[in-house]
Amino acid sequence: MQLANFGNPVMPTGPERAGMVAYVNARLLDPATGMDEPGALVTNGGVIADVGPSLFNDLPPATVDIVDCKGLVLTPGLIDMRTQLREPGEEHKETIETASAAASVGGISSMVCLPNTDPVIDDVAGVEFVARRAREVKATKVFCYGAATIGLEGRELTEFGLLSDIGALGFTDGTKAVANARVMLRALNYAKTFGQLIIQHPEDPTLAENGVMNGGEIALRLGLRGIPRIAEVMMIERDLRLVEATGGRYHAAHISTKEAVEVIRQAKERELPVTCDTTPPYFTLNELAIGDYRTFTKLSPPLRTEEDREAIIEGLVDGTIDAIASDHAPHDQDSKRVPFAQAADGIVGLETLLPLSLALVHKGHLDLPSLIGKLTCGPADILRLAEGRLKKGRPADIVIINPDKPWRINVEEFRSKSKNAPYEDMPVQGRAVRTVVEGRVLHDELQ
Amino acid sequence: MTAAQKFPTFDFRHQHLLGIEELSADEISLLLDRSDHYAEFNRTDVRAPQILKGRTVINLFFENSTRTRTSFELAAVRLGADVINMTVEHSSIKKGESLLDTALTLNAMHPNVLICRHPESGAVKLLSQKVRCVVMNGGDGAHEHPTQALLDAVTIRRRKGRLQGLIVAICGDVMHSRVARSNIYLLQTMGARVRVIGPPTLVPGTMEQLGVEVFHDMESGLKDVDIVMMLRLQLERMQGSYVPSEREYFRYFGLDKQKLSSAREDALIMHPGPMNRGVEIDSEVADDIGRSAIQEQVEMGVAVRMACLEVLTCNLPILETR
């Protein structure tokens, strides 16, 4: 059957034909090909015209704008495979425009948003709305996932085919797990028709019910209801059985526990079509950060133990964890200035994704190419995007990074509408100094 | 010399009384000593010094509790304070907003002391960050209930002469109990040994991380204990979610004469009230005048709250009258 062609995929921005720009004197870093050497890159309008170490051995032609990268790192623009944009429905927390501004500062050239908006992105109109708004804003590229089930209710599947055709990159119920095993089985099975990915929020909702932080000593002391750590691995283990039975492509989002890393490691050894990501809070903080009921540290899944934090780093190091996402979850003050148990889950992450991740390099866990891979070709490969590579003919989405620059996080400076992050005044190292999307400069502090 | 300067001041580092966990042994002893002091006033016709005359105390209760509220109210009144009672109906829909809004509204009225009870852990702490007056925690969620632990400690100290070295068993729904947490912190700080007893659904093995000994049967848990503290089992914990039924709970974890026989002969029985007779405690035991300290706990409640009010307000600027 020929599926209806709605044309117009979620390729939001019509590139400006800005002419040719040569980025010279750069450390070219492309984890997809292993390139890491001095060289230059030329963009022509919205695409990469050429790239390589021997480019402009002679002087570049006079017709080309020249940007001196001063030896800084030039990589593909970062791809954030998990953000919540709150538009439509909660524009007081964030909009596509403010999130794009935040993303640009963070070196992110592509975001993939969750369908947990209001209304839920579970039909063609929802995907088209996001695409249209992104075109109008004309900043960071915005892709989206479709809801796995109608209304995120965990019962009926959405139109995977039609949604894929207009650009949905995969299917997920966002911050809710697809809890019903039969529904998950069908989702994995049916998604195969279109080669699509199912992204799971891996948490058994019956075990997590009413829980507000990691189960354990701290929860006991604070008198807060705990979410047992096994709630995560149990859901993943169940899903892996279903993946094995169906052969469907499965991605576990924001994993946070040692056991989750272990079972995914084993699944990859068995060559199941499984990938996973994590997000900076899980390798930056542990449950002690909650302190005296700091609601900015409340997120889902919750901050775990120090042992888990170390295991997440290990998973990143050995390749079990494929990608790092921001898990950007903007919330207004009213959602956080309440007793801990009533506070909304989530942390804003677009502007801190890169510096917090770079800490893994500065602490010697990962080398820079491996880390950048988790932020570029890692997610691009999972989502089958053309972005995330420094390659002739690919979109001119690039970021210039000063990996060593020391600075302090100041949440008041966030471009995001919401400031809910527990990193106030945290010293970090490294940031994006220029972000380019399809040849357009969205953020520039290179000079 | 003004009248206010006659009242003593104390070495107490905290602006608020939010929990026992942050108190030192000296600070706890101070509060216990002052409680003893006020207990004597309460038993006689001598009026306590009116140290809170002209001060405003607000009882802000987001949970219904006639007993505790009355005890706080009486304590404040006996010290001469003007007391306002506010019970905020806790609607499940708008519960978050009302706390800070109410706090800011009350703060604008310049009370001297705000006594707050709230069903969410940490809520009273949050409130204390938003107001300028002294805040006393009248119980927050499953976190802390400091005045209850203090009144339990005064009661024990008066009966046993000490806290150091006693073996105290806390029995029942420890998991969800702020009374248990505050008592565990207090008793440990004062050198007592604490055991917790109950089914693993209410007393998980991980409780050992709090430095207590965990028992899942009354017989062995109560062996040689000096104090048996029973906790109230909330009715919603029954009906199959944490324990299957009242009668099964009573059979295995309710305190009756037979189970009590493993404790020391002079073991004291305590309960924070209100009691579910026939669920966690048998009337025969609860009403045994020789062994039950339950009425004395209520009595000490007023004295302890007077002591806390005194110590927390001793540094307030002197009131002037024009």
Side-chain angles (χ1 to χ4, degrees):
Chain A
M1 192 189 90
Q2 182 71 44
L3 287 164
N5 180 13
F6 289 83
N8 184 24
V10 190
M11 194 56 91
T13 55
E16 269 168 27
R17 296 296 161 193
M20 293 176 80
V21 182
Y23 291 88
V24 300
N25 191 19
R27 174 181 168 191
L28 296 175
L29 205 160
D30 184 21
T33 58
M35 173 167 53
D36 182 7
E37 53 201 332
L41 179 144
V42 190
T43 64
N44 185 4
V47 295
I48 296 172
D50 207 352
V51 57
S54 52
L55 205 59
F56 308 130
N57 274 349
D58 308 317
L59 283 177
T63 53
V64 176
D65 283 343
I66 296 169
V67 177
D68 182 356
C69 298
K70 301 167 187 168
L72 295 177
V73 176
L74 190 155
T75 76
L78 310 187
I79 298 170
D80 182 3
M81 68 179 297
R82 190 177 176 90
T83 66
Q84 298 180 59
L85 297 184
R86 306 284 183 236
E87 181 181 352
E90 288 183 288
E91 287 86 351
H92 61 292
K93 293 183 173 180
E94 192 78 288
T95 64
I96 289 175
E97 188 164 8
T98 54
S100 291
S104 307
V105 173
I108 295 162
S109 58
S110 295
M111 302 185 275
V112 191
C113 71
L114 297 188
N116 62 343
T117 46
D118 181 15
V120 171
I121 302 175
D122 58 6
D123 60 9
V124 167
V127 180
E128 285 192 325
F129 172 84
V130 173
R132 176 172 64 75
R133 288 290 300 130
R135 272 198 309 275
E136 287 166 6
V137 170
K138 205 174 182 183
T140 313
K141 287 181 185 171
V142 182
F143 299 91
C144 77
Y145 300 119
T149 64
I150 291 171
L152 308 176
E153 283 171 358
R155 293 197 292 269
E156 303 162 58
L157 299 185
T158 59
E159 297 166 318
F160 287 5
L162 299 179
L163 291 165
S164 302
D165 259 17
I166 58 158
L169 291 187
F171 297 92
T172 178
D173 275 356
T175 57
K176 285 170 76 177
V178 176
N180 184 308
R182 196 186 59 227
V183 173
M184 186 50 123
L185 177 76
R186 286 182 183 156
L188 285 164
N189 237 335
Y190 187 63
K192 281 194 303 182
T193 320
F194 312 100
Q196 277 288 21
L197 181 69
I198 300 295
I199 298 113
Q200 173 74 304
H201 168 73
E203 183 174 83
D204 184 311
T206 58
L207 279 178
E209 193 177 13
N210 297 328
V212 298
M213 70 168 291
N214 186 45
E217 184 186 347
I218 313 289
L220 275 179
R221 284 189 180 276
L222 293 173
L224 292 173
R225 284 177 295 265
I227 299 172
R229 294 170 62 265
I230 52 169
E232 181 169 276
V233 70
M234 280 177 60
M235 186 55 93
I236 295 175
E237 282 184 318
R238 182 205 76 175
D239 288 346
L240 290 174
R241 293 279 175 189
L242 299 174
V243 169
E244 205 157 15
T246 60
R249 292 173 61 219
Y250 174 82
H251 179 87
H254 51 207
I255 62 168
S256 64
T257 60
K258 183 181 174 188
E259 288 78 3
V261 176
E262 279 166 7
V263 299
I264 291 171
R265 185 178 290 136
Q266 289 158 12
K268 286 185 162 188
E269 279 164 13
R270 279 153 53 215
E271 299 188 335
L272 291 179
V274 172
T275 52
C276 69
D277 71 80
T278 190
T279 175
Y282 305 120
F283 56 76
T284 307
L285 304 172
N286 62 32
E287 59 182 347
L288 291 171
I290 291 167
D292 263 341
Y293 306 97
R294 294 174 67 205
T295 56
F296 278 9
T297 61
K298 187 181 180 212
L299 71 165
S300 169
L303 292 174
R304 304 290 189 184
T305 64
E306 179 60 10
E307 198 183 356
D308 290 311
R309 191 187 73 85
E310 287 166 356
I312 293 295
I313 293 175
E314 210 169 294
L316 284 162
V317 170
D318 73 10
T320 302
I321 302 175
D322 307 89
I324 303 173
S326 77
D327 215 3
H328 184 67
H331 285 294
D332 57 352
Q333 292 234 7
D334 289 345
S335 307
K336 288 288 192 180
R337 279 173 53 182
V338 290
F340 194 87
Q342 296 165 4
D345 290 323
I347 294 177
V348 288
L350 292 169
E351 284 156 272
T352 49
L353 172 64
L354 178 62
L356 293 176
S357 299
L358 279 170
L360 296 170
V361 175
H362 296 303
K363 288 180 180 158
H365 298 299
L366 286 173
D367 58 20
L368 188 62
S370 312
L371 176 78
I372 297 298
K374 310 279 185 199
L375 297 162
T376 55
C377 59
D381 289 348
I382 295 167
L383 302 172
R384 299 180 172 168
L385 290 172
E387 285 76 2
R389 281 163 174 73
L390 298 182
K391 202 172 166 191
K392 196 171 167 176
R394 295 291 176 106
D397 297 352
I398 59 171
V399 59
I400 299 170
I401 296 169
N402 179 341
D404 301 315
K405 184 183 171 131
W407 58 288
R408 274 180 192 275
I409 295 172
N410 178 355
V411 295
E412 288 311 311
E413 283 177 3
F414 282 175
R415 273 64 164 186
S416 174
K417 257 192 192 182
S418 297
K419 318 290 181 195
N420 53 303
Y423 309 125
E424 181 64 4
D425 277 337
M426 183 187 277
V428 287
Q429 235 184 314
R431 59 185 287 139
V433 292
R434 178 181 278 219
T435 307
V436 179
V437 175
E438 292 189 331
R440 287 173 293 111
V441 178
L442 297 183
H443 164 67
D444 190 14
E445 50 186 70
L446 184 58
Q447 304 317 320
Chain B
M1 175 158 157
T2 60
Q5 280 171 324
K6 283 188 299 192
F7 302 134
T9 57
F10 305 97
D11 192 15
F12 194 77
R13 297 171 300 152
H14 310 276
Q15 186 196 347
H16 309 295
L17 180 67
L18 299 177
I20 297 292
E21 199 178 10
E22 62 224 36
L23 300 185
S24 67
D26 284 347
E27 286 163 338
I28 292 168
S29 294
L30 166 69
L31 291 172
L32 300 183
D33 293 345
R34 295 307 292 171
S35 303
D36 269 332
H37 171 75
Y38 283 114
E40 296 317 310
F41 280 106
N42 290 342
R43 282 189 176 176
T44 61
D45 291 334
V46 184
R47 206 174 171 212
Q50 300 294 288
I51 55 173
L52 292 184
K53 194 168 169 53
R55 311 284 189 189
T56 314
V57 174
I58 299 182
N59 265 324
L60 176 59
F61 275 52
F62 291 88
E63 257 181 8
N64 269 320
S65 161
T66 315
R67 299 162 65 98
T68 309
R69 206 204 60 217
T70 308
S71 178
F72 272 112
E73 184 177 359
L74 211 50
V77 166
R78 285 189 181 161
L79 294 174
D82 302 317
V83 185
I84 308 291
N85 286 316
M86 281 187 65
T87 299
V88 181
E89 266 315 305
H90 196 70
S91 100
S92 57
I93 307 157
K94 306 190 81 180
K95 51 188 174 185
E97 298 163 339
S98 58
L99 172 66
L100 283 192
D101 286 346
T102 311
L104 293 175
T105 306
L106 293 178
N107 187 51
M109 298 179 193
H110 301 290
N112 300 104
V113 181
L114 208 49
I115 296 158
C116 181
R117 166 171 286 197
H118 196 282
E120 294 289 1
S121 301
V124 180
K125 168 100 187 173
L126 180 67
L127 180 108
S128 74
Q129 292 161 352
K130 306 292 171 187
V131 298
R132 271 175 304 179
C133 61
V134 167
V135 174
M136 279 173 71
N137 185 357
D140 65 320
H143 178 223
E144 283 239 37
H145 190 355
T147 54
Q148 178 71 43
L150 289 164
L151 74 87
D152 289 342
V154 179
T155 309
I156 296 170
R157 210 175 66 164
R158 289 167 73 94
R159 289 280 191 111
K160 298 285 179 195
R162 66 194 163 106
L163 293 166
Q164 172 87 36
L166 295 178
I167 305 178
V168 182
I170 303 177
C171 316
D173 186 4
V174 181
M175 175 84 156
H176 301 97
S177 173
R178 54 194 173 212
V179 174
R181 279 176 183 72
S182 288
N183 264 309
I184 289 169
Y185 300 140
L186 188 147
L187 292 164
Q188 287 179 337
T189 304
M190 301 309 284
R193 276 175 58 192
V194 183
R195 298 177 182 176
V196 292
I197 313 172
T201 45
L202 299 176
V203 183
T206 51
M207 281 266 162
E208 280 176 356
Q209 291 167 323
L210 299 183
V212 298
E213 292 173 81
V214 176
F215 291 86
H216 300 307
D217 75 290
M218 294 285 274
E219 229 98 310
S220 54
L222 288 181
K223 192 166 181 337
D224 298 330
V225 303
D226 299 286
I227 311 288
V228 185
M229 273 188 191
M230 300 307 296
L231 297 173
R232 179 179 165 77
L233 185 68
Q234 302 289 335
L235 290 173
E236 63 267 23
R237 309 269 185 246
M238 283 172 288
Q239 298 146 6
S241 51
Y242 290 87
V243 292
S245 69
E246 290 180 24
R247 63 177 187 180
E248 175 149 321
Y249 185 80
F250 184 70
R251 168 81 69 88
Y252 297 100
F253 297 99
L255 187 68
D256 57 20
K257 238 185 176 147
Q258 204 249 318
K259 296 194 192 87
L260 187 59
S261 63
S262 3
R264 281 174 62 101
E265 242 172 64
D266 59 351
L268 205 59
I269 299 156
M270 304 177 74
H271 192 295
M275 286 180 280
N276 294 311
R277 290 170 185 268
V279 179
E280 71 254 355
I281 191 161
D282 191 40
S283 286
E284 193 188 3
V285 177
D287 300 334
D288 180 343
I289 301 173
R291 311 192 66 174
S292 164
I294 295 169
Q295 292 311 311
E296 201 174 330
Q297 286 174 276
V298 178
E299 183 192 350
M300 288 306 129
V302 180
V304 158
R305 285 157 186 141
M306 290 170 81
C308 293
L309 283 166
E310 177 190 34
V311 170
L312 288 167
T313 59
C314 70
N315 290 321
L316 285 181
I318 294 156
L319 269 184
E320 285 182 34
T321 318
R322 267 182 220 143

